[in-house]
Amino acid sequence: MTDKIALVTGAAQGIGYACAEVLAEDGFRVVLSDINAEGVKAAAEKLDGDHIAIPCDMGDMDQINAMFDKIEAEVGPVHALVNNAGVALPGNFLDYSLEHFQKVMDVNVTGVFVASQRAAKTMLVKGIEGSIVNMSSINAVVAIPAIPAYCASKGGVMQLTKAMSLALAPHNIRVNAVGPGSIDTEMMAGVNANPEAMKMAMSRTPLQRMGSAREIGNAVAFLASERASYITGETIYVDGGRLGLNYVC
């Protein structure tokens, strides 16, 4: 698949970088994007092969379109889009600012919509039967009161995934999502450092461990590949069994 291009947003570290790494191993030429310009450049340089980095704020619609202009002009059309970039911005619901709520929605939902629409339009023009994989969360289904905007946004991603999959199915463009549970990334560093917090996290995780970013990357790469050629409109939850649990372990 050396002639196929994959774009991964939020790819400077953690889950995004793991997605880029597995896709590169699967033969894609990967474009890594992130708001952290230096971090994403370093991430691209770590990968074996001819991969590139493009800084982009996924909350800025003009930057998203400029990124696609650059990719299409200098690299080629995107065959696989991974909408991984996201923000949480925790806060108390009663004091939560509209500014923070809108910022989360801009990046986590509107950015996904704009990037997906742009990628899909080019796929249609080029006759590409491509794949879009969105990063949802178990918080699309179960809520945490301290992250109201994040929960709302991931529910939106889940439904947007379904709507896009139906719209693009006649063109053989598949759209799916991955919903991580407790994953050992920088966002979970505070839990790792707190035995009580870790105990609570594991009490709701039947496999009794955190997942790895690589395990999320594997699921994303599967959905982006021909191995998932008859799967569209689905969210695969990679959560150690959490959503199936109706009591603590």
Side-chain angles (χ1 to χ4, degrees):
M1 294 192 293
T2 53
D3 62 334
K4 291 190 175 182
I5 309 302
L7 168 61
V8 182
T9 69
Q13 61 184 3
I15 288 173
Y17 178 75
C19 292
E21 186 176 47
V22 181
L23 288 166
E25 291 170 3
D26 279 359
F28 283 94
R29 186 180 183 194
V30 184
V31 179
L32 296 82
S33 173
D34 201 284
I35 195 171
N36 179 352
E38 290 302 314
V40 78
K41 179 182 177 182
E45 291 172 350
K46 283 197 298 182
L47 295 178
D48 292 332
D50 185 19
H51 310 290
I52 66 170
I54 300 179
C56 182
D57 178 355
M58 292 301 293
D60 185 320
M61 307 311 121
D62 291 336
Q63 286 193 38
I64 295 172
N65 282 310
M67 173 178 63
F68 275 93
D69 288 344
K70 183 178 179 67
I71 294 169
E72 291 167 8
E74 299 180 7
V75 186
V78 170
H79 295 72
L81 168 63
V82 180
N83 285 306
N84 169 72
V87 294
L89 301 183
N92 182 283
F93 174 74
L94 292 175
D95 301 322
Y96 207 81
S97 71
L98 182 57
E99 179 184 6
H100 277 188
F101 189 89
Q102 191 62 59
K103 173 65 175 178
V104 173
M105 299 302 286
D106 284 347
V107 175
N108 295 9
V109 182
T110 307
V112 169
F113 168 77
V114 172
S116 298
Q117 186 184 66
R118 176 60 187 269
K121 285 181 177 181
T122 300
M123 289 175 187
L124 263 64
V125 170
K126 299 292 185 180
I128 295 170
E129 296 182 357
S131 177
I132 297 171
V133 184
N134 300 321
M135 197 60 64
S136 186
S137 167
I138 57 169
N139 295 126
V141 180
V142 293
I144 297 175
I147 48 172
Y150 183 82
C151 293
S153 72
K154 293 307 182 179
V157 168
M158 178 179 66
Q159 285 296 90
L160 183 59
T161 296
K162 292 179 181 179
M164 290 194 299
S165 74
L166 297 174
L168 298 175
H171 309 286
N172 287 319
I173 298 170
R174 297 180 299 104
V175 187
N176 292 289
V178 172
S182 297
I183 307 301
D184 191 10
T185 63
E186 187 174 317
M187 287 183 67
M188 293 293 291
V191 174
N192 281 334
N194 185 331
E196 286 302 312
M198 177 62 80
K199 182 179 178 181
M200 179 177 291
M202 291 303 96
S203 75
R204 63 195 185 199
T205 307
L207 286 184
Q208 291 291 288
R209 66 173 177 86
M210 285 191 180
S212 70
R214 176 80 182 197
E215 288 171 312
I216 304 301
N218 286 338
V220 167
F222 165 70
L223 289 173
S225 76
E226 287 302 311
R227 298 186 296 274
S229 58
Y230 200 52
I231 302 174
T232 195
E234 297 295 330
T235 298
I236 295 179
Y237 292 99
V238 185
D239 65 354
R242 178 175 172 183
L243 287 182
L245 190 68
N246 68 350
Y247 57 89
V248 294
C249 295

